[in-house]
Amino acid sequence: MPTVRRRVASPVVAGDRSMGEPDPRRWRALGACVCALYITLLDVSIVNVALVPIGRDTGAGPAQLQWVVSGYALAFGMVPIIGGRLGDDRGRRLMLQIGIASFVVFSAMVGLAPNPTVLVAGRVLQGLAGGLLNPQVAGLVQQLFPRWERGRAFGLIGTAVGVATATGPVLGGVIIALGGPTLGWRLCFLVNVPIGITALVLVRAWLPPEPRVGPVRPLD
């Protein structure tokens, strides 16, 4: 008897496609998310070239300048686990918008800081906002993209991470050279404001609303 060959579809691809077509705005939405992600990572390294003019302009001492760097990094690293839980329970789209809006406000606070105390406080708050923002991007990739596209999406995120870290000192040097020793270091932080507002508007326009799934758990 002739052998009958049956084609079996890949369970991963078939399972994903059975859930319906992916949202056509997903790549544009990812671009807006990566834009917001970029400025949070840029602020990790861009500040390094601004420390000398910050000290001269504000009178900040070595300990305060150290907090300008480490305060941001410490706050940034503390929040992602809590931020991921909030995104799961309260909605990643909402938490992403809160994170972007907060980062914009605190970037303006740092850029306009009249003294070292306000500067350090603004940097810590900046880090908290960035730490809230970052885990939402990874969660949204899982939510918006089918399995066969997630590799490309995470590759784009990884590229943004590398570019932001590498270009921070160069971009900071250029901004300080153009703005001068007094205004230049402030522009290193104020540049986040128009970029962040643009990202927030695009996120609101392109990210689809999330359906509410189950009750909201209290944050432990």
Side-chain angles (χ1 to χ4, degrees):
M1 295 180 63
T3 303
V4 179
R5 296 181 178 179
R6 301 177 60 187
R7 297 182 62 187
V8 179
S10 170
V12 172
V13 176
D16 280 352
R17 292 190 185 278
S18 65
M19 296 174 64
E21 290 297 322
D23 193 292
R25 301 168 294 179
R26 64 193 183 281
W27 288 109
R28 291 181 293 172
L30 179 63
C33 293
V34 168
C35 182
L37 183 68
Y38 176 84
I39 57 175
T40 66
L41 298 169
L42 184 70
D43 270 36
V44 174
S45 58
I46 197 173
V47 70
N48 294 329
V49 297
L51 291 178
V52 173
I54 287 174
R56 290 174 180 170
D57 187 42
T58 64
Q64 292 167 315
L65 292 176
Q66 182 61 45
W67 271 106
V68 170
V69 178
S70 59
Y72 180 88
L74 180 64
F76 191 94
M78 289 174 56
V79 180
I81 295 178
I82 300 173
R85 171 69 179 271
L86 286 171
D88 291 340
D89 285 349
R90 272 74 174 178
R92 299 184 182 100
R93 184 177 185 269
L94 174 62
M95 290 298 109
L96 178 63
Q97 292 179 76
I98 292 175
I100 296 174
S102 301
F103 194 84
V104 167
V105 171
F106 297 136
S107 293
M109 177 180 174
V110 173
L112 300 174
N115 55 59
T117 302
V118 176
L119 178 64
V120 171
R123 283 290 286 174
V124 173
L125 293 171
Q126 241 193 334
L128 295 175
L132 175 63
L133 185 160
N134 274 258
Q136 315 312 327
V137 177
L140 285 166
V141 169
Q142 299 283 348
Q143 181 176 311
L144 292 176
F145 288 86
R147 288 191 179 96
W148 67 87
E149 287 185 338
R150 288 174 191 164
R152 292 172 56 195
F154 280 116
L156 182 60
I157 293 174
T159 301
V161 172
V163 170
T165 305
T167 59
V170 177
L171 184 59
V174 171
I175 293 175
I176 292 172
L178 293 176
T182 300
L183 179 62
W185 74 265
R186 296 182 183 275
L187 292 177
C188 289
F189 302 105
L190 293 176
V191 72
N192 296 332
V193 175
I195 298 175
I197 291 174
T198 301
L200 181 61
V201 171
L202 295 180
V203 163
R204 289 182 60 86
W206 290 338
L207 273 181
E210 293 178 288
R212 175 68 64 188
V213 180
V216 176
R217 296 176 295 177
L219 186 63
D220 188 347

